[in-house]
């Protein structure tokens, strides 16, 4: 049974401007593993896409559960990839749910959608 659906759309240039100033947003949004993976990327544009995708996915999850960010921290959520390269998400306190995540980028935007299903 579907427990929640969330979506978030974000402009890449907002994230790019933030990263040009400092790494503060990345440190606030990403877990240590995610931050390490982002820092391993060679091209700045790829880093922007990486951070924006995870930010959007985490915002979409917060919308899907109906609380928004606040009761749930960005650090409680982690986006990684399965063996085929598809994104997957783990969230502390939601281990008994199946979380479907989709992230897509265009030249100017990133969109993420979350579907939460009770097991």
């Amino acid at each position: 049974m579907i427990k929640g659906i969330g979506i978030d759309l974000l402009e890449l240039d907002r994230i790019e401007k933030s990263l040009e100033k400092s790494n503060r947003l990345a440190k606030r949004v990403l877990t240590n593993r995610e931050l390490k993976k982002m820092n391993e990327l060679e091209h700045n544009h790829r880093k922007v896409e990486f951070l924006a995708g995870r930010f959007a996915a985490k915002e979409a999850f917060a919308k899907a559960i109906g609380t928004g960010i606040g009761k749930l921290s960005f650090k409680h959520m982690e986006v990684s990839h399965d063996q085929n390269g598809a994104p997957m998400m783990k969230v502390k306190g939601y281990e008994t749910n199946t979380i479907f995540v989709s992230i897509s980028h265009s030249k100017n935007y990133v969109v993420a959608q979350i579907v939460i299903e009770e097991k």
Side-chain angles (χ1 to χ4, degrees):
M1 181 166 118
I2 293 178
K3 185 175 181 178
I5 299 170
I7 191 166
D8 194 62
L9 176 70
L10 185 64
E11 296 168 335
L12 290 174
D13 66 343
R14 285 182 52 206
I15 300 299
E16 184 173 25
K17 287 175 186 171
S18 178
L19 278 178
E20 286 172 357
K21 289 179 186 176
S22 74
N23 215 23
R24 192 171 138 204
L25 178 66
K27 288 180 180 177
R28 191 175 124 241
V29 170
L30 302 177
T31 64
N32 289 336
R33 271 191 292 249
E34 290 171 325
L35 189 58
K36 182 178 185 279
K37 186 163 177 117
M38 185 189 86
N39 288 328
E40 291 171 354
L41 298 170
E42 292 183 30
H43 302 290
N44 282 338
H45 184 70
R46 197 48 208 113
K47 289 179 182 183
V48 169
E49 288 181 335
F50 184 92
L51 176 56
R54 274 139 184 86
F55 186 97
K58 293 175 183 193
E59 284 282 346
F61 183 86
K63 291 173 183 177
I65 61 170
T67 65
I69 297 296
K71 283 195 165 196
L72 187 67
S73 161
F74 285 117
K75 300 282 186 159
H76 289 114
M77 301 175 262
E78 187 168 80
V79 179
S80 58
H81 292 92
D82 68 13
Q83 65 275 11
N84 296 318
M88 55 187 261
M89 179 181 264
K90 292 184 181 178
V91 181
K92 290 180 185 172
Y94 291 85
E95 295 83 1
T96 60
N97 295 285
T98 302
I99 303 167
F100 299 94
V101 58
S102 181
I103 303 171
S104 186
H105 304 88
S106 73
K107 182 179 178 183
N108 299 310
Y109 297 95
V110 62
V111 64
Q113 184 172 12
I114 298 288
V115 176
I116 304 170
E117 182 180 65
E118 288 184 316
K119 289 185 180 179

